Amino acid sequence: MSLPEWAPEGVDVSVPNAARVYDYGLGGYHNFAVDREFAEQLIAAWPGILQVAHTNRAFLGRVVRWLAGRGVRQFLDIGSGIPTRGNVHEVVQAIDPQARVVYVDVDDVAVSHGQAILAGNPNAAALGGDLRLPAAILADERVRAQLDLDRPVAVLLVAVLHFIGDEDGPPGIVRELTASLAPGSYVALSHFTAVEDLGHEHDQVTKLYDRTPTSVRTRTREQVAAILGDLELVEPGIVPITAWHPDPNEPAEAEQRSVLGAVARKPR
Ligand SMILES: C[S@@+](CC[C@H](N)C(=O)[O-])C[C@H]1O[C@@H](n2cnc3c(N)ncnc32)[C@H](O)[C@@H]1O
C-alpha cells in the first residue's frame, strides 16, 4: 500500500492508533483505513462518542483562553494529538503572538504534522515524547529552548491520562512534571469517567480499545483529584467538561458527563 505524503516513515498502518482515531472523530484526514474502521466501531458502540471528541476540544479552547486571561504565556501540551482546528498556539498566539507553546505526543503522525504546521513559527515546537517519562520531556532541549521554567507554565493533559494505566502512576507523573515548575504554574486535564446509565456503551468502548496498543480506562472524580495531588483546584473544581467555565458566546452544549475536566494551580 502506498502511503500518503504526510505519513512519517515506518508508521504502522496495521493497528488503530488513538491519535489518528481521534483525528477522524474530529473530521480530520490524518488517519488510515484501520483507524477509520476502528472509529466506526466505536461510534456504533457509543454514538455519543463523536460529540465527546468535539466537546473535549471546545473544553481545551476554553481552558487555554482562561489561562491566557490569567497571564499564562507558556504552554506544554502533552498528548497534544494531531493538529486540527483550534490548536493551542492558534488560540494563545491570537491573544499574544509572543506566547510559547510546546506540543508533545507519542504518536509520529501527530509530531510530524505538528512540525510541518509550525515551520516558520519561532514560538512553538512539536516533539515526540512519552507522558510516562516526564523527566525526559522536561529535560528536552527543545522544551528548554521554548519555555522558561522559572516562569509559570501551563501543562495541558487533555484527554490523555485515560491512556495511562495505574501501573504507570499518574499521580507521580503529575508530581514529577510540576516539581520543577515555577509557583503559579497550572495543570489542566480532562479524563474519561464512568457514568451509570452509559455503563454498557463505556464497556464496549474500553473493550474495543483493549484490542489496540493503548487501552483506555475510566477514573472517578476522587481518582482524578488524587492525580492532581497537592495542586490547588481552581473553581469550579473537577466537573463535567461542559460545566467548566462555559462560554456564553459559544452555542450551548448538551451536558457531557463522560469526561471530567479540571484546572489546578501550583501554590505560590
Ligand atoms: C484523544 S487524543 C487528545 C488530543 C488533544 N489533547 C485533545 O484533547 O484534543 C490523545 C492523544 O494522547 C496521545 N498519547 C497517548 N498516550 C500517550 C503517552 N504515553 N505520551 C504522550 N502522548 C500520548 C495520543 O497519541 C493522542 O494523540
Side-chain angles (χ1 to χ4, degrees):
M1 173 182 135
S2 70
L3 290 176
E5 207 185 317
W6 51 261
E9 212 166 300
V11 67
D12 186 351
V13 299
S14 68
V15 284
N17 161 286
R20 300 184 322 234
V21 168
Y22 184 68
D23 176 68
Y24 176 72
L26 289 174
Y29 55 88
H30 290 88
N31 45 70
F32 300 107
V34 70
D35 308 305
R36 296 189 281 275
E37 278 156 26
F38 181 78
E40 290 299 339
Q41 288 175 38
L42 290 176
I43 295 164
W46 180 21
I49 199 168
L50 271 183
Q51 193 53 39
V52 174
H54 288 280
T55 306
N56 179 67
R57 202 67 200 167
F59 166 77
L60 171 65
R62 290 199 305 283
V63 163
V64 171
R65 286 195 297 277
W66 187 91
L67 289 164
R70 264 118 206 110
V72 179
R73 292 293 181 268
Q74 305 193 96
F75 292 81
L76 178 58
D77 184 0
I78 308 178
S80 48
I82 295 170
T84 175
R85 269 192 311 178
N87 297 303
V88 174
H89 73 283
E90 292 162 347
V91 174
V92 74
Q93 290 179 352
I95 296 166
D96 180 351
Q98 297 309 314
R100 302 293 181 104
V101 180
V102 177
Y103 295 106
V104 180
D105 202 285
V106 80
D107 176 58
D108 289 343
V109 173
V111 177
S112 66
H113 187 44
Q115 289 172 343
I117 66 162
L118 294 176
N121 187 332
N123 295 330
L127 48 115
D130 191 328
L131 178 56
R132 291 167 296 184
L133 303 169
I137 294 174
L138 290 175
D140 192 297
E141 59 187 26
R142 293 161 296 179
V143 173
R144 297 296 179 133
Q146 287 293 350
L147 306 180
D148 174 359
L149 301 192
D150 293 330
R151 291 174 40 232
V153 173
V155 179
L156 308 176
L157 302 174
V158 179
V160 60
L161 282 159
H162 43 236
F163 293 109
I164 306 292
D166 290 343
E167 65 283 7
D168 289 309
I173 290 174
V174 169
R175 243 190 341 267
E176 206 172 332
L177 273 173
T178 48
S180 47
L181 297 185
S185 291
Y186 289 88
V187 171
L189 60 76
S190 67
H191 200 297
F192 187 30
T193 195
V195 173
E196 212 172 304
D197 48 304
L198 286 171
H200 176 70
E201 287 85 345
H202 287 186
D203 273 358
Q204 301 282 100
V205 164
T206 45
K207 280 191 186 121
L208 281 166
Y209 266 106
D210 281 346
R211 292 200 236 134
T212 76
T214 46
S215 62
V216 73
R217 78 268 309 126
T218 58
R219 288 195 174 92
T220 63
R221 191 180 300 250
E222 291 68 33
Q223 288 170 316
V224 170
I227 290 175
L228 290 169
D230 292 338
L231 302 173
E232 291 171 350
L233 277 171
V234 307
E235 287 298 323
I238 304 169
V239 292
I241 45 177
T242 38
W244 199 91
H245 294 275
D247 183 342
N249 298 316
E250 284 178 353
E253 293 178 280
E255 190 188 34
Q256 184 52 260
R257 290 169 300 138
S258 300
V259 186
L260 293 172
V263 174
R265 188 164 171 272
K266 181 169 175 171
R268 289 200 190 266

